Amino acid sequence: MLAAVMDDFGTPLDVREVPDPGAHGGEVVVEVLATCVLPYASEVFGGARRYPLEPPVIPGLGGVGRVVTAGPDSTRLTPGELVWCDATVRSRDDATTPDITLQGWSSRGDGGLRLSRHFHDGSFAERMSVPTECVHRLSDVDTVDAARWAALGVYLVPYGGLLAAEFRAGESLLVSSATGNFGSAAVSVGLAMGARRVVAVGRNRHVLDDLRTRFGDRVRAVALTGDAEADRAAMLAAAGGPVDMVLDLLPPSVDASVVRAAAMTVREYGRVVLMGGVGMLGGDDLSLPYPWLMRNSVTVRGQWMYPRDANGRLIELARAGLLDLGQDSVHTFPLAHINEAIAHAAAHGGPFTRTVLTPGDR
Protein backbone atom coordinates (compact mmCIF):
# COMPACT_ATOMS: atom_id res chain seq x y z
CA MET A 1 0.00 0.00 0.00
CA LEU A 2 0.97 3.66 -0.28
CA ALA A 3 1.67 5.74 2.81
CA ALA A 4 3.15 9.12 3.70
CA VAL A 5 6.20 8.47 5.88
CA MET A 6 8.02 10.94 8.12
CA ASP A 7 11.63 9.77 8.01
CA ASP A 8 12.90 12.56 10.25
CA PHE A 9 11.74 15.81 11.81
CA GLY A 10 12.15 18.80 9.52
CA THR A 11 11.95 16.83 6.27
CA PRO A 12 9.01 16.53 3.86
CA LEU A 13 6.87 13.42 4.18
CA ASP A 14 7.69 10.76 1.60
CA VAL A 15 4.86 8.92 -0.17
CA ARG A 16 5.99 5.38 -0.92
CA GLU A 17 5.06 1.71 -0.86
CA VAL A 18 5.05 0.08 2.58
CA PRO A 19 3.80 -3.32 3.79
CA ASP A 20 0.08 -3.69 4.44
CA PRO A 21 -0.88 -3.82 8.14
CA GLY A 22 -2.37 -7.02 9.57
CA ALA A 23 -5.26 -7.51 11.99
CA HIS A 24 -4.37 -9.53 15.07
CA GLY A 25 -6.49 -10.13 18.14
CA GLY A 26 -7.98 -6.85 19.36
CA GLU A 27 -7.29 -5.04 16.08
CA VAL A 28 -9.11 -3.99 12.92
CA VAL A 29 -7.62 -3.13 9.53
CA VAL A 30 -9.37 -0.17 7.95
CA GLU A 31 -9.19 1.32 4.46
CA VAL A 32 -8.68 5.04 5.14
CA LEU A 33 -11.15 7.24 3.27
CA ALA A 34 -10.58 10.60 4.95
CA THR A 35 -8.40 12.03 7.72
CA CYS A 36 -7.94 15.62 8.91
CA VAL A 37 -4.62 17.41 8.54
CA LEU A 38 -4.50 19.72 11.55
CA PRO A 39 -3.35 23.35 11.18
CA TYR A 40 -0.34 22.76 13.45
CA ALA A 41 0.79 19.58 11.65
CA SER A 42 3.76 21.43 10.16
CA GLU A 43 4.90 22.33 13.69
CA VAL A 44 4.70 18.67 14.72
CA PHE A 45 6.63 17.38 11.71
CA GLY A 46 9.14 20.24 11.90
CA GLY A 47 9.89 19.41 15.54
CA ALA A 48 8.71 22.71 17.03
CA ARG A 49 6.03 20.99 19.12
CA ARG A 50 8.55 18.45 20.52
CA TYR A 51 6.10 15.58 20.17
CA PRO A 52 7.62 12.19 21.04
CA LEU A 53 7.14 10.66 17.60
CA GLU A 54 9.81 8.13 16.66
CA PRO A 55 10.71 8.20 12.95
CA PRO A 56 10.25 6.55 10.62
CA VAL A 57 6.53 6.81 11.23
CA ILE A 58 3.32 7.14 9.24
CA PRO A 59 1.62 10.07 10.99
CA GLY A 60 -2.06 10.95 10.96
CA LEU A 61 -4.68 11.38 13.65
CA GLY A 62 -7.61 8.99 13.18
CA GLY A 63 -10.22 9.29 10.46
CA VAL A 64 -13.10 7.73 8.56
CA GLY A 65 -12.68 4.43 6.76
CA ARG A 66 -14.12 1.09 5.68
CA VAL A 67 -13.48 -2.10 7.60
CA VAL A 68 -11.21 -4.46 5.67
CA THR A 69 -10.56 -7.17 8.26
CA ALA A 70 -11.46 -7.51 11.92
CA GLY A 71 -9.61 -9.64 14.45
CA PRO A 72 -11.02 -12.91 15.77
CA ASP A 73 -12.39 -11.25 18.90
CA SER A 74 -14.59 -8.84 16.93
CA THR A 75 -18.21 -10.03 16.65
CA ARG A 76 -20.13 -7.15 15.04
CA LEU A 77 -17.91 -5.24 12.62
CA THR A 78 -18.28 -6.38 9.01
CA PRO A 79 -16.04 -5.79 5.96
CA GLY A 80 -17.07 -2.71 4.01
CA GLU A 81 -18.73 -1.04 7.00
CA LEU A 82 -18.15 2.70 7.37
CA VAL A 83 -16.46 3.56 10.67
CA TRP A 84 -14.84 6.36 12.63
CA CYS A 85 -11.36 5.49 13.93
CA ASP A 86 -10.40 7.22 17.17
CA ALA A 87 -6.66 7.94 17.50
CA THR A 88 -6.74 7.91 21.32
CA VAL A 89 -5.33 4.50 22.25
CA ARG A 90 -5.26 3.36 25.87
CA SER A 91 -3.24 0.55 27.39
CA ARG A 92 -5.34 -2.46 28.36
CA ASP A 93 -3.59 -3.49 31.57
CA ASP A 94 -4.70 -0.64 33.86
CA ALA A 95 -8.32 0.47 33.64
CA THR A 96 -7.90 3.16 36.31
CA THR A 97 -4.90 5.07 34.92
CA PRO A 98 -4.17 3.69 31.47
CA ASP A 99 -1.21 4.91 29.49
CA ILE A 100 -2.28 6.84 26.40
CA THR A 101 -0.89 7.34 22.93
CA LEU A 102 -2.38 9.30 20.07
CA GLN A 103 -1.76 6.83 17.27
CA GLY A 104 0.55 8.33 14.67
CA TRP A 105 0.78 11.63 16.56
CA SER A 106 1.89 11.85 20.20
CA SER A 107 1.97 10.05 23.56
CA ARG A 108 2.05 10.66 27.29
CA GLY A 109 4.97 9.50 29.44
CA ASP A 110 7.14 6.41 29.13
CA GLY A 111 4.17 4.05 29.08
CA GLY A 112 2.49 5.97 26.28
CA LEU A 113 5.72 5.90 24.29
CA ARG A 114 5.95 2.11 24.73
CA LEU A 115 2.35 1.78 23.57
CA SER A 116 3.09 3.94 20.52
CA ARG A 117 5.76 1.48 19.41
CA HIS A 118 3.03 -1.10 18.82
CA PHE A 119 0.28 1.19 17.52
CA HIS A 120 2.93 3.20 15.75
CA ASP A 121 1.48 4.28 12.43
CA GLY A 122 -1.44 6.60 11.80
CA SER A 123 -3.91 7.44 9.08
CA PHE A 124 -1.80 9.09 6.36
CA ALA A 125 -1.93 5.80 4.45
CA GLU A 126 -4.27 3.73 2.33
CA ARG A 127 -4.77 1.32 5.24
CA MET A 128 -4.10 1.28 8.96
CA SER A 129 -4.47 -1.12 11.87
CA VAL A 130 -6.55 0.21 14.77
CA PRO A 131 -7.45 -1.21 18.21
CA THR A 132 -10.95 -2.69 18.02
CA GLU A 133 -12.24 -0.48 20.83
CA CYS A 134 -11.22 2.62 18.83
CA VAL A 135 -13.45 1.72 15.88
CA HIS A 136 -16.96 3.22 15.96
CA ARG A 137 -19.72 2.51 13.47
CA LEU A 138 -21.19 5.44 11.55
CA SER A 139 -24.44 3.58 10.77
CA ASP A 140 -26.39 5.41 8.06
CA VAL A 141 -23.74 8.04 7.22
CA ASP A 142 -23.20 8.23 3.47
CA THR A 143 -19.70 7.42 2.19
CA VAL A 144 -19.71 10.61 0.11
CA ASP A 145 -19.70 12.55 3.41
CA ALA A 146 -16.57 10.81 4.73
CA ALA A 147 -14.38 13.92 4.32
CA ARG A 148 -16.81 16.03 6.35
CA TRP A 149 -17.07 13.42 9.12
CA ALA A 150 -13.27 13.30 9.38
CA ALA A 151 -13.56 16.53 11.38
CA LEU A 152 -14.96 14.56 14.32
CA GLY A 153 -11.44 14.48 15.74
CA VAL A 154 -11.47 18.28 16.05
CA TYR A 155 -14.86 18.42 17.77
CA LEU A 156 -14.04 15.54 20.11
CA VAL A 157 -11.32 17.47 21.91
CA PRO A 158 -13.50 20.27 23.35
CA TYR A 159 -16.33 17.76 23.82
CA GLY A 160 -14.01 15.87 26.15
CA GLY A 161 -13.49 19.01 28.20
CA LEU A 162 -17.21 19.68 28.44
CA LEU A 163 -17.89 16.11 29.54
CA ALA A 164 -15.10 16.31 32.11
CA ALA A 165 -16.83 19.26 33.80
CA GLU A 166 -20.26 17.64 33.47
CA PHE A 167 -21.51 20.58 31.44
CA ARG A 168 -25.31 20.71 31.40
CA ALA A 169 -27.97 22.20 29.14
CA GLY A 170 -28.96 25.67 30.31
CA GLU A 171 -25.53 26.57 31.68
CA SER A 172 -23.22 29.34 30.51
CA LEU A 173 -19.85 28.57 28.95
CA LEU A 174 -16.80 30.76 28.35
CA VAL A 175 -14.42 29.52 25.64
CA SER A 176 -10.92 30.93 25.92
CA SER A 177 -9.34 30.89 22.43
CA ALA A 178 -12.67 30.70 20.61
CA THR A 179 -11.16 32.00 17.39
CA GLY A 180 -8.89 28.98 16.85
CA ASN A 181 -9.61 25.62 15.24
CA PHE A 182 -10.42 23.78 18.48
CA GLY A 183 -11.90 26.81 20.23
CA SER A 184 -14.45 27.54 17.52
CA ALA A 185 -15.36 23.84 17.61
CA ALA A 186 -15.92 24.24 21.37
CA VAL A 187 -18.44 27.01 20.70
CA SER A 188 -20.31 24.75 18.30
CA VAL A 189 -20.27 21.74 20.63
CA GLY A 190 -21.30 23.82 23.65
CA LEU A 191 -24.34 25.09 21.76
CA ALA A 192 -25.14 21.55 20.57
CA MET A 193 -25.16 20.45 24.22
CA GLY A 194 -27.68 23.14 25.11
CA ALA A 195 -25.60 26.03 26.43
CA ARG A 196 -27.74 28.99 27.46
CA ARG A 197 -24.95 31.35 26.46
CA VAL A 198 -21.42 30.95 25.11
CA VAL A 199 -18.91 33.74 25.67
CA ALA A 200 -16.42 33.51 22.82
CA VAL A 201 -13.07 35.07 23.72
CA GLY A 202 -10.20 35.76 21.34
CA ARG A 203 -8.11 38.36 19.53
CA ASN A 204 -9.43 38.07 15.99
CA ARG A 205 -12.41 40.42 15.74
CA HIS A 206 -13.35 39.16 12.26
CA VAL A 207 -13.68 35.59 13.53
CA LEU A 208 -15.59 36.72 16.61
CA ASP A 209 -18.05 38.59 14.39
CA ASP A 210 -18.43 35.47 12.24
CA LEU A 211 -19.25 33.37 15.31
CA ARG A 212 -21.99 35.81 16.26
CA THR A 213 -23.38 35.79 12.73
CA ARG A 214 -23.14 32.01 12.45
CA PHE A 215 -24.76 31.11 15.78
CA GLY A 216 -26.85 34.12 16.78
CA ASP A 217 -27.60 35.74 20.14
CA ARG A 218 -26.59 32.76 22.26
CA VAL A 219 -22.97 33.68 21.45
CA ARG A 220 -21.43 36.80 23.01
CA ALA A 221 -18.03 37.85 21.71
CA VAL A 222 -15.16 39.45 23.65
CA ALA A 223 -12.07 40.74 21.86
CA LEU A 224 -9.01 40.66 24.10
CA THR A 225 -7.10 43.92 24.64
CA GLY A 226 -4.10 42.65 26.61
CA ASP A 227 -5.23 44.40 29.79
CA ALA A 228 -6.11 41.42 32.02
CA GLU A 229 -8.47 43.27 34.39
CA ALA A 230 -10.27 45.07 31.56
CA ASP A 231 -10.59 41.80 29.66
CA ARG A 232 -12.00 40.02 32.70
CA ALA A 233 -14.56 42.79 33.20
CA ALA A 234 -15.56 42.55 29.54
CA MET A 235 -16.02 38.78 29.82
CA LEU A 236 -18.24 39.15 32.89
CA ALA A 237 -20.29 41.83 31.17
CA ALA A 238 -20.77 39.68 28.08
CA ALA A 239 -21.84 36.74 30.21
CA GLY A 240 -24.20 38.81 32.31
CA GLY A 241 -22.29 37.82 35.44
CA PRO A 242 -20.07 34.91 36.51
CA VAL A 243 -20.17 31.87 34.22
CA ASP A 244 -20.79 28.22 35.04
CA MET A 245 -17.76 26.88 33.19
CA VAL A 246 -14.58 28.05 31.49
CA LEU A 247 -12.93 25.90 28.83
CA ASP A 248 -9.36 26.94 28.01
CA LEU A 249 -7.86 25.84 24.68
CA LEU A 250 -5.11 28.42 24.30
CA PRO A 251 -1.97 27.44 22.33
CA PRO A 252 1.58 27.23 23.76
CA SER A 253 2.53 30.73 22.59
CA VAL A 254 0.01 32.52 24.84
CA ASP A 255 0.87 34.02 28.25
CA ALA A 256 -0.68 32.39 31.32
CA SER A 257 -2.21 35.72 32.39
CA VAL A 258 -4.82 35.28 29.65
CA VAL A 259 -5.81 31.93 31.16
CA ARG A 260 -6.04 33.49 34.60
CA ALA A 261 -8.31 36.33 33.46
CA ALA A 262 -10.75 33.88 31.90
CA ALA A 263 -10.63 31.40 34.80
CA MET A 264 -11.56 34.06 37.31
CA THR A 265 -14.91 34.70 35.64
CA VAL A 266 -16.47 31.52 37.05
CA ARG A 267 -19.19 31.64 39.68
CA GLU A 268 -19.10 30.05 43.11
CA TYR A 269 -18.90 26.27 42.55
CA GLY A 270 -17.88 27.00 38.95
CA ARG A 271 -15.58 24.77 36.90
CA VAL A 272 -12.44 25.52 34.89
CA VAL A 273 -11.07 22.95 32.44
CA LEU A 274 -7.57 23.34 30.98
CA MET A 275 -6.97 21.68 27.60
CA GLY A 276 -4.54 24.03 25.87
CA GLY A 277 -0.77 24.14 25.60
CA VAL A 278 0.12 27.18 27.71
CA GLY A 279 3.52 26.70 29.35
CA MET A 280 4.51 23.67 27.27
CA LEU A 281 7.26 25.61 25.51
CA GLY A 282 8.34 27.72 28.48
CA GLY A 283 6.99 30.89 30.08
CA ASP A 284 5.28 31.54 33.41
CA ASP A 285 3.04 28.91 34.95
CA LEU A 286 -0.61 29.53 35.77
CA SER A 287 -1.15 31.24 39.12
CA LEU A 288 -4.60 31.37 40.75
CA PRO A 289 -5.33 32.84 44.21
CA TYR A 290 -5.70 30.17 46.86
CA PRO A 291 -8.34 32.06 48.95
CA TRP A 292 -10.51 32.68 45.87
CA LEU A 293 -10.39 29.01 44.86
CA MET A 294 -11.12 27.78 48.37
CA ARG A 295 -13.82 30.23 49.44
CA ASN A 296 -15.70 29.94 46.15
CA SER A 297 -15.35 26.14 45.92
CA VAL A 298 -14.02 26.44 42.37
CA THR A 299 -12.98 23.27 40.56
CA VAL A 300 -9.92 23.47 38.28
CA ARG A 301 -8.92 20.39 36.33
CA GLY A 302 -6.81 19.42 33.38
CA GLN A 303 -8.17 17.22 30.64
CA TRP A 304 -6.21 15.53 27.88
CA MET A 305 -8.46 14.28 25.09
CA TYR A 306 -11.74 12.58 26.05
CA PRO A 307 -13.27 9.38 27.45
CA ARG A 308 -13.81 6.47 25.07
CA ASP A 309 -17.61 6.76 25.10
CA ALA A 310 -17.36 10.37 23.88
CA ASN A 311 -16.95 9.04 20.33
CA GLY A 312 -20.35 7.38 20.16
CA ARG A 313 -22.08 10.22 21.97
CA LEU A 314 -20.67 12.88 19.65
CA ILE A 315 -21.51 10.80 16.59
CA GLU A 316 -25.14 10.74 17.75
CA LEU A 317 -25.13 14.53 18.29
CA ALA A 318 -23.95 14.93 14.70
CA ARG A 319 -26.35 12.36 13.26
CA ALA A 320 -29.23 14.13 15.03
CA GLY A 321 -28.20 17.45 13.48
CA LEU A 322 -27.54 19.10 16.85
CA LEU A 323 -23.87 19.37 15.87
CA ASP A 324 -23.88 20.65 12.30
CA LEU A 325 -20.90 19.25 10.38
CA GLY A 326 -22.36 20.85 7.26
CA GLN A 327 -21.05 24.24 8.35
CA ASP A 328 -17.44 23.14 7.76
CA SER A 329 -15.58 24.21 4.64
CA VAL A 330 -13.68 21.09 3.52
CA HIS A 331 -10.63 21.07 1.24
CA THR A 332 -9.43 17.62 0.16
CA PHE A 333 -6.04 16.42 -1.05
CA PRO A 334 -4.97 13.00 -2.36
CA LEU A 335 -2.22 11.12 -0.55
CA ALA A 336 0.35 12.03 -3.20
CA HIS A 337 -0.10 15.70 -2.29
CA ILE A 338 0.38 15.29 1.45
CA ASN A 339 3.02 18.02 1.75
CA GLU A 340 0.77 20.48 -0.11
CA ALA A 341 -2.02 19.50 2.30
CA ILE A 342 0.22 20.23 5.32
CA ALA A 343 1.09 23.67 3.91
CA HIS A 344 -2.56 24.36 3.12
CA ALA A 345 -3.64 23.41 6.65
CA ALA A 346 -1.04 25.77 8.16
CA ALA A 347 -2.26 28.64 5.98
CA HIS A 348 -5.97 27.90 6.47
CA GLY A 349 -6.35 27.09 10.16
CA GLY A 350 -9.36 29.24 10.87
CA PRO A 351 -12.70 28.20 12.32
CA PHE A 352 -14.67 25.53 10.52
CA THR A 353 -12.01 25.18 7.82
CA ARG A 354 -10.85 21.58 7.39
CA THR A 355 -7.96 20.25 5.36
CA VAL A 356 -8.66 16.58 4.67
CA LEU A 357 -6.44 13.90 3.18
CA THR A 358 -8.27 11.29 1.06
CA PRO A 359 -5.79 8.41 0.63
CA GLY A 360 -8.06 6.46 -1.73
CA ASP A 361 -7.97 9.23 -4.37
CA ARG A 362 -5.23 9.09 -6.97
Side-chain angles (χ1 to χ4, degrees), residues 135-209:
V135 178
H136 304 269
R137 300 155 117 184
L138 291 179
S139 300
D140 57 355
V141 173
D142 197 314
T143 304
V144 299
D145 291 326
R148 195 169 299 284
W149 279 79
L152 276 176
V154 177
Y155 289 100
L156 274 164
V157 172
Y159 187 49
L162 292 164
L163 291 178
E166 299 180 351
F167 186 73
R168 294 178 288 273
E171 290 192 315
S172 58
L173 170 68
L174 187 148
V175 178
S176 185
S177 189
T179 55
N181 210 246
F182 288 108
S184 57
V187 174
S188 186
V189 174
L191 293 170
M193 294 176 70
R196 171 176 55 85
R197 179 174 295 176
V198 177
V199 180
V201 179
R203 297 189 183 278
N204 190 319
R205 293 180 181 272
H206 174 74
V207 172
L208 291 171
D209 289 343

Side-chain angles (χ1 to χ4, degrees), residues 21-343:
H24 307 289
E27 298 174 17
V28 178
V29 173
V30 173
E31 176 192 2
V32 182
L33 299 180
T35 176
C36 263
V37 182
L38 295 180
Y40 64 90
S42 60
E43 298 176 26
V44 174
F45 306 146
R49 289 260 174 165
R50 303 176 189 170
Y51 280 11
L53 281 171
E54 295 184 325
V57 60
I58 301 169
L61 199 61
V64 176
R66 288 193 192 95
V67 175
V68 176
T69 307
D73 54 352
S74 177
T75 61
R76 300 190 182 184
L77 293 171
T78 58
E81 191 169 13
L82 195 69
V83 292
W84 161 252
C85 301
D86 177 19
T88 306
V89 180
R90 298 167 177 84
S91 60
R92 293 165 175 160
D93 53 357
D94 188 337
T96 304
T97 56
D99 288 307
I100 293 177
T101 186
L102 303 185
Q103 186 175 354
W105 202 253
S106 185
S107 57
R108 182 188 69 191
D110 292 339
L113 188 60
R114 287 176 56 197
L115 187 61
S116 75
R117 289 168 184 157
H118 179 68
F119 292 108
H120 189 60
D121 294 325
S123 53
F124 290 0
E126 291 181 320
R127 294 185 177 189
M128 66 175 173
S129 178
V130 186
T132 306
E133 64 270 23
C134 292
V135 178
H136 304 269
R137 300 155 117 184
L138 291 179
S139 300
D140 57 355
V141 173
D142 197 314
T143 304
V144 299
D145 291 326
R148 195 169 299 284
W149 279 79
L152 276 176
V154 177
Y155 289 100
L156 274 164
V157 172
Y159 187 49
L162 292 164
L163 291 178
E166 299 180 351
F167 186 73
R168 294 178 288 273
E171 290 192 315
S172 58
L173 170 68
L174 187 148
V175 178
S176 185
S177 189
T179 55
N181 210 246
F182 288 108
S184 57
V187 174
S188 186
V189 174
L191 293 170
M193 294 176 70
R196 171 176 55 85
R197 179 174 295 176
V198 177
V199 180
V201 179
R203 297 189 183 278
N204 190 319
R205 293 180 181 272
H206 174 74
V207 172
L208 291 171
D209 289 343
D210 176 70
L211 290 171
R212 283 293 309 273
T213 301
R214 189 183 294 264
F215 294 116
D217 288 341
R218 289 166 67 198
V219 173
R220 304 295 171 89
V222 175
L224 294 171
T225 65
D227 182 328
E229 285 306 311
D231 288 340
R232 178 173 173 268
M235 295 177 208
L236 288 168
V243 299
D244 295 296
M245 176 185 167
V246 169
L247 178 60
D248 179 86
L249 291 152
L250 287 164
S253 58
V254 177
D255 188 83
S257 63
V258 183
V259 185
R260 186 180 190 273
M264 294 190 68
T265 64
V266 294
R267 61 168 172 81
E268 187 176 359
Y269 293 98
R271 295 97 73 201
V272 179
V273 176
L274 308 176
M275 297 192 78
V278 172
M280 289 176 62
L281 301 180
D284 293 336
D285 206 347
L286 176 62
S287 175
L288 291 171
Y290 188 115
W292 174 78
L293 288 169
M294 181 271 291
R295 290 173 181 164
N296 291 288
S297 302
V298 172
T299 298
V300 180
R301 66 166 289 171
Q303 178 66 32
W304 191 42
M305 305 308 286
Y306 39 83
R308 183 174 292 140
D309 67 349
N311 290 271
R313 295 167 69 176
L314 190 68
I315 287 168
E316 291 308 311
L317 279 178
R319 290 180 66 230
L322 295 171
L323 177 65
D324 182 14
L325 299 180
Q327 69 186 321
D328 291 353
S329 175
V330 180
H331 304 266
T332 62
F333 290 82
L335 186 60
H337 294 172
I338 178 59
N339 292 301
E340 291 93 328
I342 294 167

